Amino acid sequence: MIVNEQIKAAEVSLTGVDGEDLGIVATKVALQMAKEQGVDLVCLSLATSPPPCQLVNRTNHKEQLNREKAKQRKAEKGMKVKELRLSAFIEDHDYETKKRQAEKILAAGDAVQLTVRLEKKESQEAKKLVEGLVKELAHCGKQDKGIQVSGKQVVAVLLPK
């Protein structure tokens, strides 16, 4: 980031603190305006002539750049798929706890994989359990595919809305 006296151009295309266009101004005049207002003169790009510069409060500008970089990093990473394991014959309290956990994960922007491990012949109960949980979580997530029933487990994936 090129700031204040580091700007070597004779004149700059200046934008004010609130985003108003101040036109093309001599660099010395722009620096004087920055000192009067108690802000910094920041060069946004060296690709054009005269370079576009803006009067900004440096701490606010750095915080804004950091927030934008963090958003980009999170977008590049993509969403995570977090697994919640249940049993086919789950108690009401445990069911509510798993439901709250799924809501928190979906609200944070990650996907939830609901997995019910099967023992013996529990596939129908497990499928009913997962269907009920998917219906109750419909307000904060949508089902990715159908409910998958394999030999040892029942799986459903919910994506955040």
Side-chain angles (χ1 to χ4, degrees), residues 29-41:
V29 174
L31 284 168
Q32 185 178 5
M33 290 171 69
K35 285 181 182 175
E36 288 172 1
Q37 295 181 18
V39 294
D40 291 319
L41 180 66

Side-chain angles (χ1 to χ4, degrees), residues 79-114:
M79 81 173 96
K80 295 178 182 176
V81 178
K82 298 191 176 182
E83 181 182 33
L84 287 179
R85 291 185 182 174
L86 308 144
S87 64
F89 300 107
I90 189 169
E91 297 291 325
D92 291 339
H93 176 265
D94 296 333
Y95 178 84
E96 292 298 321
T97 301
K98 293 291 185 180
K99 186 174 115 183
R100 278 195 310 273
Q101 287 176 343
E103 288 172 345
K104 279 184 185 178
I105 293 168
L106 290 168
D110 292 325
V112 175
Q113 177 177 323
L114 303 170

Side-chain angles (χ1 to χ4, degrees), residues 64-76:
Q64 183 179 0
L65 288 175
N66 288 340
R67 271 189 244 116
E68 289 173 7
K69 285 181 183 177
K71 280 184 182 178
Q72 284 179 341
R73 280 195 303 271
K74 187 169 184 176
E76 285 174 8

